[in-house]
Amino acid sequence: MGKAYDVMAATCPSRTVLHRIGARWTVFVVLALGDGPRRFTQLKTRIEGITPKVLTETLRALEADGLVRRTSLPGNPPGVEYALTDLGRSLGGPMRAVSEWAESHVPEILAARARYADAEA
Amino acid sequence: MGKAYDVMAATCPSRTVLHRIGARWTVFVVLALGDGPRRFTQLKTRIEGITPKVLTETLRALEADGLVRRTSLPGNPPGVEYALTDLGRSLGGPMRAVSEWAESHVPEILAARARYADAEA
DNA sequence: CAGAATCCCCACGGATACTG
DNA sequence: CAGTATCCGTGGGGATTCTG
């Protein structure tokens, strides 16, 4: 028996999942929450370059998909805490693998790009 | 000593690498080439829903980054073969992990989306 | 602190048709 | 077979400002 879902199939729902995972900032948020719950501002500080709007949107999307849980902390000033759900935590492995691959192959890729640019110049 | 590259840093080159990896069709091409060299049309057939233009662009980008090697096969009709380089092959693991995660968590995510849609309706 | 509200834009990708 | 050539839209993402 074949697997239930196949990303190669045009209409497979797994494609919508892949699309969410592939969204520009998803990987950063999942990684940043990997060490435990974080507040909005902590995330914003940790993930350099992200704007509040985009961070909010990414968080909402991950919450909708059941990867992140949002908790309002009572008190003043108001606090909100974001944490990975079990499902979200299970994505941590693959996400770390991808980001570590990116970090550890920068030189080769920059070199390849330079070579390619030269070759067509 | 810290690591040389850090995706959390705004200007780190690893971000451009991550960006390329995250491009919509990269994962499909890398996976489709995982079992060995393939021709253009084979890829187009395997990856359902991809258009020739987008496939070409994706292939070119991966070639520029040194992940894919393009070989013209002499003869008529003309043939072209695409294959992963060693670098590209090393990305296969992470890519497979991500796609398998997507395929194996479809039900949970669809359920979460339904719950979320309900909750705000 | 944790966003909401606006405005904006272009590059990513899609559809279709054509060709060496 | 393996692409080009056009045209086009759209929504993801950015900058900025404001607020409970």
Side-chain angles (χ1 to χ4, degrees), chain A residues 90-102:
Chain A
S90 75
L91 181 57
M95 293 287 84
R96 235 184 328 276
V98 167
S99 74
E100 277 168 11
W101 189 94

Side-chain angles (χ1 to χ4, degrees), chain A residues 25 40 44 47-59:
Chain A
W25 296 97
F40 187 87
K44 189 169 144 16
I47 306 169
E48 294 183 16
I50 197 169
T51 63
K53 179 200 166 191
V54 170
L55 178 55
T56 299
E57 288 171 353
T58 303
L59 252 4

Side-chain angles (χ1 to χ4, degrees), chain B residues 45-86:
Chain B
T45 302
R46 183 81 222 289
I47 306 170
E48 294 182 18
I50 197 170
T51 62
K53 180 201 166 190
V54 170
L55 178 55
T56 299
E57 289 172 350
T58 304
L59 252 4
R60 290 271 182 285
L62 293 177
E63 196 194 350
D65 282 3
L67 300 175
V68 163
R69 179 168 25 253
R70 189 192 121 109
T71 313
S72 299
L73 309 172
N76 194 304
V80 178
E81 194 175 77
Y82 293 93
L84 291 179
T85 60
D86 288 343

Side-chain angles (χ1 to χ4, degrees), chain A residues 26-39:
Chain A
T26 295
V27 56
F28 298 105
V29 171
V30 171
L31 290 179
L33 290 178
D35 299 324
R38 292 287 183 273
R39 312 269 293 269

